[in-house]
Amino acid sequence: MPRAAATDERGGAVAASLRGLLDDPSIPSGVRDAMAADFRRIESMLDRLERDELHVAVFGRVSAGKSALGNALLGREAFTVGVLHGTTTEADAARLDEAANAGLVLIDTPGINELGGEAREKLAFEVAEVSDLIVFVADGDLTRDERDALRTLATTRRPLLVALNKVDRYSDDERDGLLERLRQHTATLVRREDVIAVAAQPSSRSVVELDASGHERLSSERRPPDVTALKSRLLAIAEREGKTLSAINAGLFAGRLTDQISERVAATRREVASGVIRQYCVAKAVAVALNPVPVADLLLAGGLDAAMVVQLGRVYGLPLTRSESGKLVATISVQLAALMGAVWGMQLVASALKGLSGGVSVVVTAAAQGALGWYATVLIGRAAEHYLIAGKSWGEHGAKRAVADIVAGLDRDSILREAREEILRRLHR
Ligand SMILES: Nc1nc2c(ncn2[C@@H]2O[C@H](COP(=O)(O)OP(=O)(O)O)[C@@H](O)[C@H]2O)c(=O)[nH]1
Ligand SMILES: [Mg+2]
């Protein structure tokens, strides 16, 4: 079946935007590695769309027979049966196993009973995310944990089937009674006809044979699995919903992951940018404190600020030339100077001096001026950051409004306090 054009386009766009993020030199390697794993996951989902496959996850309690059922559906021994997963108490140890045969991809899961509620939910979402359809395996009536898990799975909007496994252990009447109870207990979550009895790996039967000489011999006979009803139901759903299921799921998943990655990248950039701004704050503050200049000149001593803005441009992947960055600093400074004159004036100087009592008055004044220099650098840095984040733009309200918003949004007094402390520490050295 050809991949839908829209999906193709979307997949291509997702892949391209992710590659762009991965190649971004401003992303620290730790984040890049984490993203690479996400990216591989998305790529494999996009790949799946090209193939004609149905991804079926098998979910349920440990020992319900999930692995055995996976094998029976695939018609081969793909998963290990009967092995206890001792480490499933750790949610992140919950690994998903995958095997394919004739377009059917089975995803085996570690089982839910050793997991706490939260981990169980996480596993359920993880499983749902990589599957088109979920088969919930039980070997009797549902426990409370099983019902909780089933409810969580139902919220993921994947088609949900319940397989009552190990029916070889029951008489026909018992089996029908159990099926009926299961159907009632899952009535709001699963359709009646999607609760199906199976025997994934019936236990061997002892048979008595007569050999050639008429002696009785006891041997055990393996019985074949019986999963035909479940399999044809799966295929019917696959037929009905076709590739739309996996296309929609892959698209949603990729989109969500891209959003998450973009957020992580944005957060990392902000963090790196904050570090850059702080470095320049210290440099500026110390320079000013050691060589006090009139307050009005603070904003015009822009050499350091321009260098900072060049660095910020790199952090945000939007390189600025030295002259572009000088112009940007000038634009911001003009707005800041206007605000300072109009709004704060002496109040700002008073704030800068606040808390600086006693000592040599020259040091006090120096620290106050240094703090102002620091504060100005924070404002310039934040304003430049704002401009860069918006893709080198001040937005529809222009630079004046943007700078005023930044000034209003920052806690001036706590910035000045931090600055004074840092400067005094350095001056006393
Ligand atoms: N009697 C019977 N035993 C089964 C059936 N399916 C699985 N088992 C047994 O149940 C145990 C657990 O099976 P397994 O597939 O490993 O369970 P999982 O932990 O859910 O993957 C194994 O000993 C299987 O042989 C079945 O249909 N009938
Ligand atoms: Mg298993």
Side-chain angles (χ1 to χ4, degrees), residues 131-146:
S131 60
D132 303 316
L133 200 149
I134 299 165
V135 176
F136 193 96
V137 188
D139 61 1
D141 206 358
L142 296 185
T143 64
R144 199 197 147 108
D145 283 355
E146 286 177 306

Side-chain angles (χ1 to χ4, degrees), residues 4 35 62 65-66 89 100 115 123 155 165 169 191 194 266 280 292 315 333 338 343 357 415:
M35 283 168 35
V62 171
K66 298 178 297 300
T89 38
L115 301 175
L123 177 64
T155 65
N165 190 28
R169 301 188 308 187
R191 277 179 298 217
D194 290 339
Y280 279 90
V315 169
S333 298
V343 190
S357 61
I415 293 173

